[in-house]
Amino acid sequence: MVSFKIDGKTVEAEGGMNVLAAALNAGIYIPHLCYHPDLPENESCRMCIVEVEGQEGVVPSCTLPVKEGMEIHTNSEQISRLRTLALELMLAGHPEDCSTCPKYGNCEMQTLIQYIGANSARMRTRTKGAKKEESNPLLIHDMNRCVLCGRCVRACSDLRGVGILKYQKKDLEVLVETLHGKLLKDEDCRFCTACAEVCPTGSIRDKLQLLETNLKKDELLVPCRTACPVHTEIPRYIRFVKEENYDAAAAVIREKAPFPKCLGYVCTHVCEEECRRQAVNEAISIRNIKRYAAERDTGLYWRGKGKQLPDTGKRVCVVGGGPAGMTAAYYLRKQGHTVVLKEALPTVGGMMSYGIPAYRMPRTVVAEEAAVIRDQGVIVETDTRVERPLDLLKEYDAVLMAIGAHSGVRLSMEGSGLPGVLLNIDFLRNASMNRENGIGKRVIVLGGGNVAFDCARTAKRLGADEIHLACLEARDVMTADDEEIEQAQEEGIFVHPAQTFERITGTDSVTGVDFMNVKSFSFNENKQAIIEKEEGSEHHIDCDTVIFAVGQRPQITEETGIILGSGNRIAVKEKSLAASVDGIFAAGDAVYGTKSVIMAIASGRDAAGEIDKYLGGDGDISEILAPVQSPDPCIGKAEGFCSRERKSSIVLSAEERQNNFDKVDYGICDKDICSEADRCLQCDLRLQIKPPRLWTEFSKQKEA
Ligand code: FES
């Protein structure tokens, strides 16, 4: 340690440190602009000049090493004059009107002007004449605002090892540009956006500014993680996959969700919709990467290792063994409670076992991951239907209703009660259990979501000759995943978007459905459907089976003593998930209607936290399983990075898949996995960059 004085105050610092860093650490502000703690110094701005006793003139403190006994002065008439002059020279080439800059109120340069009190009016101002470049993904280059501090150049070269930003001389001006003057995309930019992070002005900035959103900085910058309902650390596990450390990757996923493999098959991957790589070309295939890791996981970091608190003596009953119920049961057990899970059907899994067909969600995978719940100590009772949940309170301290939504909705329309009319969930459950399913040879499915496609594709596999699927929504706003729609069409299913269902025809049994074309379809402010039909578009399709796939509701009545809300859903207090009866909680589809497996897992986690609190715990179900990693900020240059195409999974051909329930999607192949993981922009690396130290922070410290 070295001891020296700054403005009379004794400061201790590690040998080898510079005076500026030592001063900032000691709570003494010295103005600075080109200095950044994560970058090598370049001494270009001279804002940080100080005087050293016994030495002539001034020296930049950002490159002045600390020395035992030295005495530093950060303020004097000379320093003030030279700083003001240097700042005014910078300002002479910077646009005068700050208020039109998107970084207004969030600009380091602006705070420095306030601190030093510079006035550019004394200088002859000039514009650099650089074109504002907005054609790049994610970033705007507005080099007229550049003050040549060089932070972006150093961030690109020294911090990231990419090196595509350089100083270029143009006429009489020096500008920061890409190496060959091309767009970032064409220069193999990695789009880590470190340049925007360190830029002290609005010269290189994000297209989407934080102030334009309601998000926190990390939420905005890592949108995949924000979008994931359980906020899985996506860039972290993708990095482990790139390093071929699949155990660690799977452990990262398991920190937030107990069914990584199931999610690898059927997650609705909302994360991919928000992936920033989309702005460059296509989103990362996040779900496939997750599946690849989960399928190679040996359990090294989590099996028998995660959190398990001592027994609390409290008893919880979870009613329903779908993803919400199993998740809640798993975490409640980890919090030390005795947990009994009661499932009405012969196996757990809920919709993963009885709704989503086996060709999409292999049952062996569900069984394998569900076993982990038992291994954790949850007592599972299958074939156990709970008719009177309130009675459970005699035996248990809390009850979680995670009963899913297992009643199909029958639209009230002419012919809807005819023999041959089936409901989605009954049909899919019967098919899953190899029971009599009731379909004929010509089937019409009414509905346009994933469940409707599950019905249509299941009917195909059960031997129906002709299958039609019709829905109110136009093709581009159908709620089913595109891949579901495309695969169904490849299997010969006729898809009819934008149709009204006028009536189901037939007297003794179904003979067909009358339709009309929809001209427009929207919802009013009361969420009522407003449908405009196309005049004279009446048409009819023959069939012997109609399957309603227009929604599902929880199988429950108010006779249980629990208050229900709209759609027969269990009414809960929004935050606590507490139902109307003390000690009863609800989660998953039973609360919000059918959504997705990952939403159910998120709801199960919330319920576990809330019930734990109710039982006297702290409600903290978080756990760290994977090794804590300090990712290398130096990502380096990667040739052709921006043009690397998204790798898809291997899918069986329509001929191979349409007659059986065998797995359809084989995931991403060994050859492609590394390059797909390597397409990730690693947006989270930017959060490692230290924030700027502004004088306002130091004045607050003084006040405090
Ligand atoms: Fe030291 Fe710029 S010269 S901060």
Side-chain angles (χ1 to χ4, degrees):
M1 281 299 236
V2 170
S3 181
F4 68 106
K5 281 191 175 162
I6 303 179
D7 296 335
K9 186 179 165 190
T10 303
V11 170
E12 302 237 308
E14 299 268 356
M17 209 176 208
N18 66 59
V19 167
L20 174 57
L24 296 173
N25 281 356
I28 300 166
Y29 180 70
I30 301 177
H32 55 277
L33 192 72
C34 66
Y35 169 80
H36 188 286
D38 293 311
L39 306 174
E41 298 78 20
N42 76 346
E43 269 191 19
S44 67
C45 76
R46 297 190 65 81
M47 288 296 106
C48 69
I49 47 169
V50 291
E51 288 165 352
V52 185
E53 220 158 274
Q55 238 177 269
E56 278 287 303
V58 292
V59 280
S61 57
C62 64
T63 48
L64 178 67
V66 294
K67 232 199 277 162
E68 184 66 35
M70 78 196 308
E71 291 202 23
I72 302 290
H73 300 285
T74 67
N75 272 307
S76 71
E77 212 179 291
Q78 175 182 225
I79 291 172
S80 166
R81 185 171 39 80
L82 291 171
R83 267 186 202 146
T84 309
L85 182 67
L87 184 56
E88 286 176 354
L89 280 169
M90 265 190 270
L91 282 174
H94 187 82
E96 275 176 82
D97 185 9
C98 281
S99 62
T100 59
C101 177
K103 284 269 283 228
Y104 182 70
N106 190 23
C107 168
E108 274 182 78
M109 180 80 172
Q110 201 179 16
T111 58
L112 200 63
I113 296 167
Q114 286 163 358
Y115 184 81
I116 293 179
N119 179 1
S120 64
R122 291 197 305 148
M123 296 286 161
R124 217 164 55 126
T125 54
R126 63 186 200 283
T127 49
K128 296 195 170 95
K131 173 177 154 252
K132 182 165 151 191
E133 185 54 80
E134 298 189 75
S135 328
N136 285 309
L138 301 170
L139 295 168
I140 291 174
H141 278 201
D142 186 359
M143 288 307 170
N144 286 316
R145 298 186 183 278
C146 177
V147 291
L148 292 177
C149 69
R151 282 192 192 174
C152 56
V153 175
R154 285 173 284 152
C156 190
S157 305
D158 301 290
L159 183 67
R160 294 287 187 248
V162 177
I164 60 159
L165 289 181
K166 295 278 177 221
Y167 296 107
Q168 311 274 7
K169 196 143 194 259
K170 279 225 168 149
D171 304 324
L172 291 176
E173 289 289 353
V174 175
L175 296 171
V176 172
E177 281 193 348
T178 56
L179 197 51
H180 306 99
K182 296 187 204 158
L183 287 176
L184 294 169
K185 217 173 151 171
D186 302 323
E187 295 272 18
D188 296 334
C189 175
R190 303 288 304 260
F191 288 99
C192 66
T193 65
C195 50
E197 180 64 27
V198 298
C199 178
T201 68
S203 321
I204 299 186
R205 59 182 189 263
D206 296 297
K207 280 196 168 162
L208 185 59
Q209 290 286 305
L210 191 60
L211 294 176
E212 295 165 29
T213 73
N214 289 323
L215 299 171
K216 296 194 197 114
K217 184 175 173 181
D218 63 324
E219 292 173 337
L220 177 75
L221 293 181
V222 193
C224 55
R225 186 173 69 189
T226 309
C228 172
V230 295
H231 308 306
T232 312
E233 300 270 6
I234 294 165
R236 193 170 148 228
Y237 77 70
I238 290 183
R239 251 188 314 270
F240 277 129
V241 168
K242 209 168 63 177
E243 293 162 11
E244 300 182 30
N245 189 349
Y246 307 120
D247 279 315
V252 171
I253 304 162
R254 271 196 177 272
E255 286 173 2
K256 295 291 168 62
F259 313 110
K261 218 184 270 189
C262 291
L263 288 169
Y265 279 84
V266 295
C267 188
T268 44
H269 52 79
V270 278
C271 49
E272 291 182 24
E273 279 158 38
E274 300 300 324
C275 172
R276 275 156 69 94
R277 171 92 205 197
Q278 271 179 112
V280 180
N281 59 354
E282 296 165 285
I284 306 294
S285 193
I286 300 173
R287 184 178 73 191
N288 274 325
I289 293 175
K290 174 189 286 154
R291 177 168 157 189
Y292 193 92
E295 287 185 331
R296 280 148 192 86
D297 174 29
T298 66
L300 178 68
Y301 292 111
W302 61 271
R303 206 177 282 282
K305 288 189 181 150
K307 181 190 214 178
Q308 179 56 64
L309 299 183
D311 285 349
T312 61
K314 303 282 185 190
R315 290 172 57 78
V316 185
C317 182
V318 174
V319 183
M326 285 199 291
T327 302
Y330 179 66
Y331 287 111
L332 282 164
R333 178 65 210 122
K334 279 171 163 277
Q335 296 299 103
H337 310 301
T338 298
V339 185
V340 176
L341 185 148
K342 294 180 188 287
E343 166 58 53
L345 290 161
T347 59
V348 291
M351 288 301 174
M352 296 195 293
S353 298
Y354 297 98
I356 304 169
Y359 62 84
R360 280 214 291 137
M361 183 69 266
R363 303 307 187 232
T364 48
V365 175
V366 182
E368 182 199 321
E369 294 209 305
V372 174
I373 310 297
R374 276 199 183 91
D375 294 347
Q376 199 63 39
V378 173
I379 302 156
V380 178
E381 297 173 1
T382 50
D383 286 315
T384 308
R385 182 170 291 280
V386 172
E387 303 287 359
R388 297 149 71 93
L390 267 54
D391 287 355
L392 293 169
L393 288 173
K394 293 175 196 153
E395 223 187 306
Y396 296 94
D397 298 291
V399 171
L400 175 66
M401 299 294 285
I403 56 173
H406 287 261
S407 279
V409 172
R410 188 184 297 268
L411 292 180
S412 61
M413 59 186 279
E414 193 180 327
S416 68
L418 283 169
V421 177
L422 308 177
L423 299 180
N424 50 4
I425 190 61
D426 297 342
F427 169 65
L428 291 172
R429 191 189 311 116
N430 287 335
S432 287
M433 297 174 83
N434 293 323
R435 286 183 182 159
E436 178 53 45
N437 53 67
I439 61 158
K441 286 291 170 196
R442 301 186 76 180
V443 177
I444 298 178
V445 178
L446 301 178
N450 281 339
V451 177
F453 281 88
D454 286 343
C455 291
R457 297 178 68 188
T458 296
K460 178 80 186 174
R461 284 157 176 78
L462 290 172
D465 290 335
E466 187 179 312
I467 301 153
H468 298 264
L469 181 147
C471 62
L472 266 173
E473 297 86 1
R475 170 66 182 85
D476 57 339
V477 288
M478 282 171 70
T479 55
D481 296 341
D482 281 342
E483 63 184 14
E484 276 297 304
I485 302 173
E486 283 153 21
Q487 288 184 12
Q489 287 177 316
E490 284 166 14
E491 289 167 14
I493 290 155
F494 300 100
V495 178
H496 308 271
Q499 302 292 312
T500 62
F501 321 143
E502 295 296 310
R503 66 193 62 77
I504 298 171
T505 58
T507 44
D508 302 324
S509 64
V510 171
T511 58
V513 179
D514 288 341
F515 296 99
M516 282 184 80
N517 295 345
V518 172
K519 233 167 139 182
S520 70
F521 169 44
S522 59
F523 289 97
N524 66 13
E525 61 278 12
N526 301 322
K527 293 191 181 149
Q528 286 164 327
I530 310 291
I531 303 163
E532 195 190 340
K533 301 179 197 178
E534 191 183 309
E535 228 175 281
S537 66
E538 296 84 354
H539 56 283
H540 175 87
I541 300 177
D542 286 339
C543 69
D544 52 29
T545 310
V546 168
I547 304 175
F548 276 119
V550 288
Q552 291 126 254
R553 294 165 166 231
Q555 262 178 340
I556 188 170
T557 67
E558 284 202 336
E559 279 169 29
T560 52
I562 298 171
I563 293 177
L564 305 179
S566 70
N568 217 42
R569 299 194 282 268
I570 298 174
V572 291
K573 293 195 189 102
E574 204 184 317
K575 281 226 161 90
S576 69
L577 295 173
S580 56
V581 179
D582 185 38
I584 304 251
F585 295 77
D589 290 1
V591 170
Y592 50 66
T594 14
K595 286 201 172 153
S596 62
V597 172
I598 190 64
M599 281 294 291
I601 291 172
S603 182
R605 283 178 62 90
D606 291 345
E610 291 303 322
I611 294 172
D612 183 53
K613 275 194 251 169
Y614 177 79
L615 298 176
D618 61 6
D620 179 11
I621 60 163
S622 64
E623 58 184 343
I624 302 286
L625 299 169
V628 177
Q629 183 202 43
S630 180
D632 184 0
C634 189
I635 50 182
K637 192 159 168 127
E639 217 169 298
F641 179 74
C642 298
S643 54
R644 290 183 192 169
E645 284 172 13
R646 175 182 161 108
K647 303 285 188 230
S648 319
S649 54
I650 302 158
V651 178
L652 291 185
S653 70
E655 289 69 39
E656 287 171 295
R657 66 184 190 238
Q658 63 192 359
N659 301 322
N660 57 71
F661 284 88
D662 293 347
K663 177 166 80 176
V664 157
D665 187 330
Y666 282 74
I668 213 159
C669 69
D670 297 340
K671 164 173 85 51
D672 286 344
I673 188 66
C674 254
S675 60
E676 184 58 21
D678 206 23
R679 291 177 66 239
C680 179
L681 304 183
Q682 302 191 61
C683 302
D684 64 336
L685 285 184
R686 180 164 160 185
L687 300 173
Q688 290 180 340
I689 298 175
K690 295 184 192 74
R693 308 287 306 269
L694 309 176
W695 65 269
T696 43
E697 176 197 334
F698 294 83
S699 65
K700 270 186 211 136
Q701 272 175 21
K702 244 189 211 165
E703 281 163 27

